Amino acid sequence: MAQEDRLKVHPLSEIAHLKVHGRTTGQLDPLTLFWTGSSVELNAQGSELWIEVEVNYDQYEPWISILINGVPIGRQMLTAGRYWVCIFRGMNKAAIKNVRIVKDVQAMSADPGCLLQIHAVKCDGEFTPIAAKPYRIEFIGDSITSGEGTIGAKAETDWIPMWFSAIDNYTAMTAEALNADYRVLSQSGWGVLTSWDNNPHANLPDYYEQVCGLLTGENNKALGAHEKNDFDSWQPDIVVVNLGTNDDGAFHSPEWVDTATGKAYKQRLKADGTFDDEDVAAFEEAAVRFLIKIRKYNPNAPIIWAYGMLGLPMMSAIYRAVNAYRMQTGDKQVSVFQLPNTTENTLGARQHPGKLAHAKAAGELTGYIKEVLHSSTP
């Protein structure tokens, strides 16, 4: 108890030097972390640090990764309840430790009960300013961008939060290489026009304007997930879109029937196995509309459509869509980048790219982003 008395509780709203990563409502009492890669960052000068979390779920529990001085030192499941988690103890009190507590799991659209909030921290020291970073990157994607399968053995097939990682992920790796802050908007199985199983409601563009609009349920609505995002408060220097993999999957999956209307939806293949012209054109039109929407809210950021970690079946359609957008708008700050394909040696769990695949993708994407940033500098 004597040691416990040394620790002072700090509500997040009372910490002057606190950095929040990821789209939020701006509310700190408590802070709700919605998206994968969302985190809190502190420079703590003390020997011991704890965070107070509040967690809930019906099916898919949250996981967090803990990074100290940029290095992952812990990863854990968070069970339901409100309680304190120790981040470190027994460290040199005089030394300043950069600490990030990162939400490892994507926003769970299939579990309206899934919740991760941070109420406070307690520490026996002080918090110091955090140096600003020169760049900001926004990543938009599907299961690849959610880091599904980047952790775990190749044999793993269960669709559970344990196999997601926001750290062993090309988004975090690219941001680190560029010394950039970043945000991620991603959802497994979702696409530009439709999901892998032909559900037209499971597409990222429809929810881009909201804080985290793909979440369902009254609790998420009350938490502000459906509020309009404040784009002015955080403008990226680069937007990276990694979508198309699930739109391809829809062409090879059975039709999806809307139980509310009875209407069936299906991306079709022709007899020779190629995409139906009308359906692939619908994908391209959806991609153009999404680029228009991204540009509306991010007027100055170059946009890179990066694709290819699980094959290239939609690449021609993506090129046509980007070219159509450029012709229609005159916007030259939009380009396509081919990501390296995952191989048997770089495959992770659930037939998804593993950590090695993400590292290779991050290396190549980082080089391309540097070129884009250099060319866009006045």
Side-chain angles (χ1 to χ4, degrees), residues 302-322:
I303 303 169
I304 300 170
W305 200 299
Y307 173 74
M309 291 177 72
L310 287 176
L312 298 169
M314 301 301 292
M315 184 58 96
S316 295
I318 290 169
Y319 268 114
R320 289 193 296 269
V322 169

Side-chain angles (χ1 to χ4, degrees), residues 78-143:
L78 296 178
T79 55
R82 180 171 174 174
Y83 49 90
W84 290 93
V85 176
C86 187
I87 304 303
F88 66 78
R89 62 187 302 272
M91 295 190 75
N92 180 351
K93 186 172 183 177
I96 297 172
K97 281 75 68 175
N98 179 262
V99 178
R100 278 195 294 140
I101 297 99
V102 183
K103 185 174 187 281
D104 250 347
V105 180
Q106 67 175 16
M108 286 294 184
S109 61
D111 185 353
C114 188
L115 172 72
L116 172 56
Q117 293 180 317
I118 300 176
H119 285 267
V121 302
K122 58 183 177 181
C123 182
D124 62 351
E126 304 297 328
F127 302 106
T128 64
I130 301 168
K133 294 188 175 180
Y135 301 114
R136 292 174 170 180
I137 310 172
E138 180 176 82
F139 295 94
I140 306 166
D142 48 38
S143 58

Side-chain angles (χ1 to χ4, degrees), residues 256-278:
W256 181 85
V257 179
D258 189 332
T259 55
T261 64
K263 185 176 179 180
Y265 297 86
K266 176 74 180 86
Q267 293 293 93
R268 299 161 293 177
L269 294 172
K270 294 190 286 190
D272 63 1
T274 58
F275 297 142
D276 177 86
D277 294 339
E278 182 178 334

Side-chain angles (χ1 to χ4, degrees), residues 163-178:
W163 310 136
F164 286 78
S165 173
I167 303 304
D168 298 332
N169 183 312
Y170 80 93
T171 61
M173 295 172 182
T174 301
E176 182 179 4
L178 292 165

Side-chain angles (χ1 to χ4, degrees), residues 29 41 44-45 62 88 107 110 114 120 134 148-149 162 175 223 249 254 257 278-279 287 296 329 344-345 375 378:
D29 293 319
E41 181 179 0
Q45 190 172 29
F88 66 78
C114 188
E148 180 179 340
M162 186 157 47
L223 289 171
V257 179
E278 182 178 334
D279 291 345
K296 175 182 177 181
T329 64
E344 182 60 32
N345 290 332
S375 65

Side-chain angles (χ1 to χ4, degrees), residues 42-61:
L42 295 159
N43 276 350
Q45 190 172 29
S47 69
E48 191 168 337
L49 178 72
W50 297 64
I51 62 165
E52 185 185 20
V53 299
E54 185 170 353
V55 177
N56 195 19
Y57 48 88
D58 295 324
Q59 188 173 4
Y60 300 119
E61 78 284 346

Side-chain angles (χ1 to χ4, degrees), residues 201-217:
H201 308 299
N203 70 81
L204 269 296
D206 279 357
Y207 303 94
Y208 183 70
E209 289 144 312
Q210 297 169 294
V211 172
C212 193
L214 53 78
L215 291 177
T216 59

